Amino acid sequence: MSNQVWLSQLKIHRAIAVIRAQKMVWGEQMALAVASGGMRLIEITWNSDRAPELISQLRAKLPHCLIGTGTLFNVQELQEAIGCGSQFLFSPHTDPVMIQAAVAKNIPIIPGALTPTEIMTAWNYGASCVKVFPVQSLGGTSYIKSLQGPLGHIPLIVTGGVTLENAQDFLQVGAVAVGLSGELFPQKWVLAENWPAITEQVQILMQSLH
């Protein structure tokens, strides 16, 4: 998938569900729940239970969604993620070798960065966009707004402090998309396997973003 296609999907859908599942069966149900609520961009973290198998399974079950992975730390993990069908790749840090490996395979990679120097470094090495993480640590929406002057040409995805209440605010100050994890999947709902509650919450989120 080209960077252009990936960016067009981000601009349409604006939100990514980040699933970190202790059990593969939970991960599958979490993904089905957010898809039912209208989310089309789903990230399975690489440290989820049986992540490669789960990603492959979701690619078959949710053909109308883009299924990617995150929390990738090195090139070996990145190559394994591509091998199981991941359509986009997130890492918590900026690693030029990982970026170049993903670019060579024409798979969008979104490295994590925080400072302007890190963001520019990731972009110059070929990142499709950059994940500003953890965004709340440097002031949340005010920080993203301040980056728009010098770095407005770089598409930024924000994670780490995005809530149902402030997601729209991040988009309004210039973020191309937001990533949500714990906010979408309260532990009490996952433990109780209350998937309809997650679907309902996602519907509310998507209505607010569109």
Side-chain angles (χ1 to χ4, degrees):
M1 178 171 59
S2 70
N3 285 343
Q4 289 78 11
V5 172
W6 167 241
L7 283 171
S8 71
Q9 291 298 304
L10 284 176
K11 290 172 182 176
I12 292 169
H13 300 297
R14 309 307 298 270
I16 303 162
V18 181
I19 294 174
R20 183 172 280 106
Q22 295 175 333
K23 297 180 182 179
M24 182 181 162
V25 65
W26 285 355
E28 179 185 349
Q29 292 302 321
M30 290 156 82
L32 294 174
V34 296
S36 295
M39 293 188 87
R40 295 292 176 263
L41 307 177
I42 300 172
E43 172 194 335
I44 304 297
T45 64
W46 198 244
N47 55 1
S48 292
D49 178 41
R50 292 153 65 190
E53 188 179 342
L54 178 57
I55 292 163
S56 179
Q57 194 166 298
L58 291 174
R59 283 292 311 274
K61 288 197 171 189
L62 298 171
H64 56 297
C65 294
L66 293 178
I67 310 295
T69 193
T71 320
L72 297 170
F73 288 109
N74 53 58
V75 171
Q76 181 180 342
E77 290 180 346
L78 180 143
Q79 291 172 338
E80 291 172 359
I82 294 172
C84 72
S86 298
Q87 293 170 285
F88 57 86
L89 310 163
F90 276 83
S91 64
H93 64 307
T94 294
D95 180 337
V97 178
M98 288 178 66
I99 295 171
Q100 291 166 342
V103 170
K105 295 284 191 179
N106 201 32
I107 306 287
I109 183 166
I110 307 92
L114 197 52
T115 67
T117 298
E118 292 172 348
I119 293 167
M120 277 301 303
T121 298
W123 182 248
N124 287 337
Y125 273 106
S128 61
C129 38
V130 180
K131 176 177 77 167
V132 182
F133 163 84
V135 70
Q136 284 301 100
S137 299
L138 283 186
T141 54
S142 62
Y143 182 57
I144 296 301
K145 186 176 183 179
S146 68
L147 291 176
Q148 292 308 302
L151 303 179
H153 61 293
I154 301 176
L156 302 176
I157 298 174
V158 297
T159 69
V162 180
T163 66
L164 300 173
E165 290 73 31
N166 69 21
Q168 176 66 28
D169 297 335
F170 279 110
L171 301 181
Q172 288 178 340
V173 297
V176 68
V178 295
L180 297 98
S181 181
E183 276 286 307
L184 291 183
F185 307 107
Q187 190 174 27
K188 62 182 180 181
W189 289 355
V190 175
L191 292 174
E193 301 188 355
N194 188 354
W195 316 124
I198 292 172
T199 295
E200 186 176 340
Q201 185 153 267
V202 168
Q203 288 171 335
I204 294 169
L205 169 70
M206 298 309 286
Q207 286 168 2
S208 74
L209 299 186
H210 295 92

